[in-house]
Amino acid sequence: MSTPAPAQGKSPFLLLLSVGLTLALVVAAVIVAVSLTGGHDSRTGAAPDAGGACRGSNVALDKAAQRFRLELPADAKDVHYLAQSGGLSGEYNLEMRFRTTAAGLQHFLTGSGFPKLSGDEHVLRAGQPDADPCRHDSEGLAHAQYAGDQAAGDGATHGAYVRGIAVDDSDRARPVVALIAMDT
């Protein structure tokens, strides 16, 4: 049995160089693709659509609000939300931010059944809500008060979930509410 003759005119150095350049081009292409698509978090820098939904939402806000027993105030403005079904933590996940009035805030807290706001961040049950879920940004809540709760669910129409809110009332006439809620 004869062994094949080495390729004429091909040095091992040129072969290694061509493989190295090919790998470098592949890595560069991946880096460019990731930077153009925003990486793993499709929300980074994304503006909400006309209805306030962040990119990645696949559930309507009213359905998600009903799921987590939230009564949004009629005067809610600048609503941004990320509502998803089929997430890793359960059937539904909701992240939301909106601006309201002092009366709207009271309606939301009472109607949604949240406990009294506290300066203690440890009352949150579901984690720190983002100031803007579309931009995945926790900055912007200058003077936050917190509340959190959990529900065991009734087994028939509602499963167990946790909710947490942060309220920035540095402008008492126009407080900002940031919320996170998820099935457990």
Side-chain angles (χ1 to χ4, degrees):
M1 183 169 196
S2 67
T3 58
Q8 298 289 329
K10 300 282 185 183
S11 77
F13 175 74
L14 287 177
L15 185 59
L16 287 174
L17 183 62
S18 65
V19 169
L21 286 174
T22 302
L23 287 174
L25 287 172
V26 169
V27 169
V30 169
I31 290 171
V32 168
V34 168
S35 68
L36 290 176
T37 61
H40 68 283
D41 189 349
S42 63
R43 297 176 293 160
T44 303
D49 68 15
C54 302
R55 189 176 349 164
S57 289
N58 61 10
V59 176
L61 179 57
D62 58 341
K63 185 172 184 174
Q66 180 183 17
R67 165 66 192 104
F68 295 112
R69 297 182 176 161
L70 300 170
E71 283 192 30
L72 299 179
D75 64 2
K77 303 281 187 229
D78 302 324
V79 177
H80 295 183
Y81 71 92
L82 176 67
Q84 297 176 312
S85 176
L88 294 176
S89 64
E91 188 174 343
Y92 287 99
N93 297 316
L94 174 64
E95 295 178 56
M96 180 173 50
R97 179 198 56 83
F98 62 90
R99 183 175 292 277
T100 187
T101 61
L105 174 61
Q106 197 55 46
H107 169 84
F108 173 72
L109 294 173
T110 304
S112 300
F114 277 103
K116 184 178 177 186
L117 293 173
S118 165
D120 183 8
E121 186 177 332
H122 293 96
V123 301
L124 294 173
R125 300 283 187 217
Q128 176 72 37
D130 291 324
D132 189 341
C134 292
R135 291 178 173 81
H136 201 59
D137 177 17
S138 61
E139 299 297 318
L141 298 175
H143 183 257
Q145 297 282 317
Y146 305 96
D149 62 5
Q150 54 194 27
D154 60 19
T157 58
H158 285 84
Y161 61 81
V162 294
R163 308 182 298 179
I165 61 169
V167 177
D168 181 351
D169 62 355
S170 53
D171 177 356
R172 293 196 184 274
R174 304 290 296 161
V176 175
V177 176
L179 172 133
I180 187 168
M182 62 185 70
D183 286 328
T184 57

